[in-house]
Amino acid sequence: MLNIDDSHSLSYADNEQILNLLPIPIAVLKGELFVISFANDAMFELWRRDRTVQTIGLPITTAFPETNVSFLAQLEKVFRTGVPYKDEEVLLTLNDGTGKVYSIFIDYTYQAIFGDEGIITGILVTAQDVSRKVSAKQLLHDTTEELKNSNHALSSSNEECLMAIATANLGTWKLFVDRDELSFSERSAAIFGLKQQEVSLRSVLHLVRKDHRQSVIQTLQEIADSGQTLEIEYPINPENSDQERWVRLTGRGVVDVQGHAMVLKGTMMDITSSKMELIRKDEFIGIASHELKTPLTSLNGLLQLLSRRLDLKKDDNLGEMMVLTLSQLRKMTRIITSFVTISRLESGKFELELTDFDIGELLNEQLKEVRMTAAGHTFIQEGCQKLHIKADRIKIGALLSNLISNAVKYTPTGKSITVSCRQKLKFLEISVKDEGTGIAEADKERIFERYSQIENPHVKNSAGFGIGLFLCAEIVRHHKGEIWVENNEDAGCTFYFKLPVFSGLV
């Protein structure tokens, strides 16, 4: 019987460790009883429990008997229909496992997990504690009400109010409904990229992203007709800028005797950073449920077969199944690692840990792993032994792994993949050459862009999620290097990257 060494055993644990690195609270509920099969550290922190309190393996109604029936009804609906559900600023009351009950406000999402033949097997849950945001909004609401009912106090504290707006980096606006004219504060005009502070409504609406424009017009009209409060979020394309922004508009109308607003006025905030964070989280949920479905399904099936044969003394297929299992596990690990890396890139937390290491030794490690699942390919090394460089060993390993995996994907069985190293005066050049079908000239310009998907009609399932080469380019860029691709004269293409050999990296 095949023995699994410690390094392989550790591979299974790597997935949980990677998910535990994510700052997003994540849990997986399996089956119709919604058994908690996994929760990362961030979710346990939101639950205010440590892992000594029995939670994993219990139905959610057993682990948290106080769960509101509305949450359970939403879970059942997602499990039945497969339609995702999300809500914001919802009051949640739970116990921390020691008998202490607490309440928080959360934003949360339920996403169906599909198994074989499209059957729903569980729910992926993410949540975020937004109690501070809700408290801040309530405080703002209370303050607004106090200001509205205390005209005398408003007059005497006008300067303090303006200081508070400036401190919060808010802008103010005023819309004269009968003239369709807008008056902006300096901050509001800057958000829209405008030089003037007195503009027409039409010119500002033109800067609202086209798919949100009609909704903004309709909302303003409804507030003008009713005199109610206004709160709306939408994307804009500021004047003389190609960078999209998201803004939040709040305010209310000053009404006439018929109840129609003559003037709308309020505050404006640039919420681009927080909005993009939410969008990235939504992207992650969709990606995780879709991209991990196939490898997880294969892994589950293979492990079930292996468990049934553990009592056999000899099985010729056991070794092959184990190799396939580990291959699927590594694929899943690479995908999750890519998500974590992208998150760190966008949050500015992508840092290099520079060490001096032998690039040839690192390459041998990568090729040893890939040979287990690509036995039909020939791997050739040229000039990569005893070459030392100062760089981030883990990230350069991920770079090599991505390029070699791509080469295997596009190279027919029986063909060769060549990895070459060339020591130059001030840099080290490494190339990965395949014998596939090459890359169209038009695709070379965008192949390293995020989410670029380039399908190859000659290769089954050639289209991926489009993050592998993007991450390669980012790793090289952070090392102050260069990366590019060239088609070979005979067949296939070669990916090149250069890394500086000096130690002055930032």
Side-chain angles (χ1 to χ4, degrees), residues 312-324:
L312 298 178
K313 295 182 179 179
K314 185 177 181 180
D315 188 329
D316 294 335
N317 294 323
L318 189 59
E320 181 180 351
M321 286 191 295
M322 182 58 70
V323 169
L324 292 173

Side-chain angles (χ1 to χ4, degrees), residues 19-26 40 42-43 127 277 281 340 343 349:
L19 286 176
N20 281 331
L21 292 174
L22 294 174
I24 309 167
I26 297 174
N40 66 355
M43 182 63 84
E277 181 180 354
K281 290 177 181 178
V340 174
S343 177
K349 297 179 181 178

Side-chain angles (χ1 to χ4, degrees), residues 20-259:
N20 281 331
L21 292 174
L22 294 174
I24 309 167
I26 297 174
V28 175
L29 309 180
K30 301 296 287 185
E32 296 181 348
L33 296 179
F34 306 119
V35 175
I36 304 171
S37 64
F38 171 80
N40 66 355
D41 291 343
M43 182 63 84
F44 268 92
E45 183 178 347
L46 183 141
W47 288 338
R48 300 186 185 180
R49 296 186 175 196
D50 60 41
R51 293 187 181 272
T52 61
V53 178
Q54 185 178 4
T55 305
I56 301 298
L58 296 179
I60 192 169
T61 52
T62 302
F64 301 98
E66 68 281 0
T67 302
N68 192 291
V69 293
S70 63
F71 288 92
L72 297 176
Q74 293 157 2
L75 282 169
E76 290 170 357
K77 186 174 181 180
V78 174
F79 191 85
R80 185 176 68 256
T81 65
V83 178
Y85 181 88
K86 62 180 178 180
D87 206 346
E88 297 180 348
E89 301 180 4
V90 179
L91 181 64
L92 175 69
T93 300
L94 296 176
N95 75 85
D96 64 359
T98 65
K100 184 177 179 180
V101 176
Y102 66 96
S103 295
I104 57 175
F105 286 91
I106 62 169
D107 293 347
Y108 67 97
T109 304
Y110 296 153
Q111 185 88 19
I113 299 174
F114 293 86
D116 294 334
E117 300 179 356
I119 298 174
I120 299 174
T121 61
I123 304 292
L124 179 71
V125 179
T126 65
Q128 184 178 12
D129 185 347
V130 293
S131 300
R132 291 185 178 180
K133 183 178 76 171
V134 173
S135 297
K137 287 180 65 175
Q138 185 60 47
L139 178 61
L140 179 62
H141 177 268
D142 293 344
T143 303
T144 303
E145 289 300 310
E146 290 177 6
L147 292 174
K148 182 183 69 174
N149 298 323
S150 307
N151 290 329
H152 178 72
L154 176 63
S155 145
S156 62
S157 61
N158 184 52
E159 185 176 349
E160 294 178 6
C161 187
L162 291 175
M163 289 177 61
I165 290 175
T167 302
N169 209 20
L170 296 173
T172 59
W173 60 275
K174 184 184 294 185
L175 171 62
F176 300 93
V177 178
D178 58 339
R179 304 196 302 268
D180 282 345
E181 291 180 357
L182 272 166
S183 174
F184 278 163
S185 68
E186 184 176 353
R187 172 58 181 160
S188 294
I191 291 174
F192 276 84
L194 299 171
K195 296 180 179 179
Q196 303 85 11
Q197 292 180 230
E198 305 289 335
V199 293
S200 68
L201 176 61
R202 176 178 296 181
S203 64
V204 173
L205 289 174
H206 179 71
L207 300 177
V208 178
R209 202 172 74 189
K210 188 176 295 185
D211 57 334
H212 282 69
R213 195 173 299 161
Q214 189 57 43
S215 174
V216 172
I217 295 172
Q218 183 177 346
T219 301
L220 290 174
Q221 185 61 56
E222 289 173 355
I223 299 304
D225 292 340
S226 66
Q228 296 179 350
T229 58
L230 164 72
E231 183 170 353
I232 184 173
E233 298 177 359
Y234 54 90
I236 63 172
N237 299 108
E239 192 77 38
N240 300 322
S241 174
D242 56 1
Q243 184 175 4
E244 185 179 87
R245 289 181 179 176
W246 279 82
V247 297
R248 178 184 290 127
L249 212 64
T250 60
R252 67 181 309 125
V254 178
V255 299
D256 57 18
V257 292
Q258 284 80 32

